[in-house]
């Protein structure tokens, strides 16, 4: 099994466990990723999902030995196999809980796409991100062009995509595509810490915040104002706001966890 799901209190950690191939993608891992996001949607006690790779590398993308065999398949079958990856990307986006990528070593190809699909990217200093498609005569998948277009101008994203040259996590952090840097070897621990903090937060408010933030990328201004109005009005009448506002007025820590029981 190259994909496994670990429960860590209020977090789910989805591991890519294929270190012999620098955690190249497998159907088993993509299935675990999709199942982990679905489990987080069903379990209101899950505050976040963490994606991590065993052996000090996040994900090297598609297995070239496997990709080499696909030229013999009809185009329809090649497309169906790509859709398996895209279903996993959609699962990350649709997951109500925040999804955190913990990048050690690096992320290449579709591994880069998976990291960029996450809501939070915590990368070890010195790790590298590589859009390696062009070097293999391929084009990006996994929503990578969409993700980079949201965070980088074309003059920055296109050289990265066209050349296949690695870019360091520190540079992507400066550009805003990486959320936070961690010392080497500590990205997963930092991601777990963030997941634990989110796990003690207001679940319903966090779900709505994620939806609003993603919708804002394509919504018209008045549409987004209406969405914020409706979300805020709903939140104000809910138990999380009652607890959160009450705690602030009483100068105590809120206890959102008890609302999930």
């Amino acid at each position: 099994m190259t994909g496994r799901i670990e429960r860590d209190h209020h977090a789910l950690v989805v591991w890519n466990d294929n270190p012999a191939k620098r955690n190249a993608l497998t159907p088993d891992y993509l299935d675990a990723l999709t199942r982990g996001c679905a489990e987080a949607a069903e379990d209101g006690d899950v505050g976040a999902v963490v994606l991590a790779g065993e052996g000090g590398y996040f994900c090297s993308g598609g297995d070239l030995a496997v990709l080499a065999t696909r030229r013999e398949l009809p185009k329809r079958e090649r497309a169906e196999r790509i859709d398996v990856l895209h279903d996993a990307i959609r699962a990350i986006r649709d997951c109500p809980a925040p999804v955190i990528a913990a990048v050690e070593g690096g992320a290449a190809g579709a591994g880069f796409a998976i990291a960029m699909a996450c809501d939070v990217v915590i990368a070890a200093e010195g790790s590298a991100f590589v859009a390696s498609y062009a070097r293999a005569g391929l084009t990006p998948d996994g929503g990578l062009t969409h993700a980079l277009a949201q965070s980088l101008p074309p003059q920055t994203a296109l050289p990265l995509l066209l050349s296949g040259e690695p870019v360091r996590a520190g540079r992507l952090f400066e550009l805003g595509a990486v959320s936070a840097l961690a010392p080497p070897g500590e990205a997963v621990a930092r991601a777990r810490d963030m997941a634990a903090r989110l796990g003690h937060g207001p679940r319903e408010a966090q779900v709505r915040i994620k939806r609003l933030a993603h919708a804002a990328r394509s919504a018209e201004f008045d549409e987004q104002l209406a969405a914020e109005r409706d979300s805020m009005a709903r939140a104000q009448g809910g138990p999380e706001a009652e607890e959160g506002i009450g705690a602030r007025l009483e100068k105590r820590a809120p206890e959102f966890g008890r609302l999930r029981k």
Side-chain angles (χ1 to χ4, degrees), residues 29-101:
Y29 168 68
L30 292 174
D31 177 67
L33 196 166
T34 302
R35 286 189 292 107
C37 291
E39 184 176 336
E42 296 170 0
D43 187 344
D45 202 37
V46 174
V49 177
V50 175
L51 305 186
E54 288 283 12
Y57 199 89
F58 182 71
C59 178
S60 60
D63 187 331
L64 290 178
V66 173
L67 295 178
T69 67
R70 292 190 180 173
R71 63 179 294 124
E72 308 299 332
L73 299 175
K75 181 183 176 182
R76 175 182 57 80
E77 293 186 30
R78 296 198 298 268
E80 288 172 352
R81 283 160 172 76
I82 296 167
D83 278 338
V84 175
L85 166 64
H86 288 179
D87 287 343
I89 297 295
R90 289 189 185 95
I92 294 171
R93 179 61 57 85
D94 294 341
C95 182
V99 182
I100 306 169

Side-chain angles (χ1 to χ4, degrees), residues 4 32 48 70 79 225 240:
R4 57 186 174 85
R70 292 190 180 173
L225 286 179
E240 290 181 347

Side-chain angles (χ1 to χ4, degrees), residues 162-219:
L162 291 169
S163 70
E165 294 291 334
V167 58
R168 293 293 175 186
R171 178 59 177 154
L172 288 181
F173 175 70
E174 292 172 355
L175 293 168
V178 164
S179 310
L181 299 175
E186 294 189 20
V188 176
R190 294 285 178 89
R192 287 182 187 271
D193 287 346
M194 174 175 281
R197 293 194 299 273
L198 292 173
H200 289 92
R203 162 81 174 192
E204 291 303 316
Q206 291 169 349
V207 169
R208 294 191 186 110
I209 289 168
K210 174 172 174 172
R211 288 174 181 163
L212 285 169
H214 283 299
R217 292 179 168 186
S218 58

Side-chain angles (χ1 to χ4, degrees), residues 94-243:
D94 294 341
C95 182
V99 182
I100 306 169
V103 179
E104 287 286 353
F112 191 178
I114 289 171
M116 290 295 103
C118 293
D119 304 299
V120 179
V121 181
I122 299 176
E125 295 169 354
S127 59
F129 293 77
V130 189
S132 49
Y133 301 90
R135 290 188 171 188
L138 300 171
T139 59
D141 55 6
L144 182 60
T145 55
H146 183 271
L148 293 181
Q150 299 293 333
S151 56
L152 304 176
Q155 294 82 1
T156 301
L158 269 171
L160 189 158
L161 292 166
L162 291 169
S163 70
E165 294 291 334
V167 58
R168 293 293 175 186
R171 178 59 177 154
L172 288 181
F173 175 70
E174 292 172 355
L175 293 168
V178 164
S179 310
L181 299 175
E186 294 189 20
V188 176
R190 294 285 178 89
R192 287 182 187 271
D193 287 346
M194 174 175 281
R197 293 194 299 273
L198 292 173
H200 289 92
R203 162 81 174 192
E204 291 303 316
Q206 291 169 349
V207 169
R208 294 191 186 110
I209 289 168
K210 174 172 174 172
R211 288 174 181 163
L212 285 169
H214 283 299
R217 292 179 168 186
S218 58
E220 297 291 337
F221 182 61
D222 285 341
E223 291 175 341
Q224 191 67 11
L225 286 179
E228 290 184 355
R229 175 201 62 209
D230 293 345
S231 182
M232 182 61 147
R234 183 183 294 271
Q236 287 174 346
E240 290 181 347
E242 181 181 16
E243 170 63 17

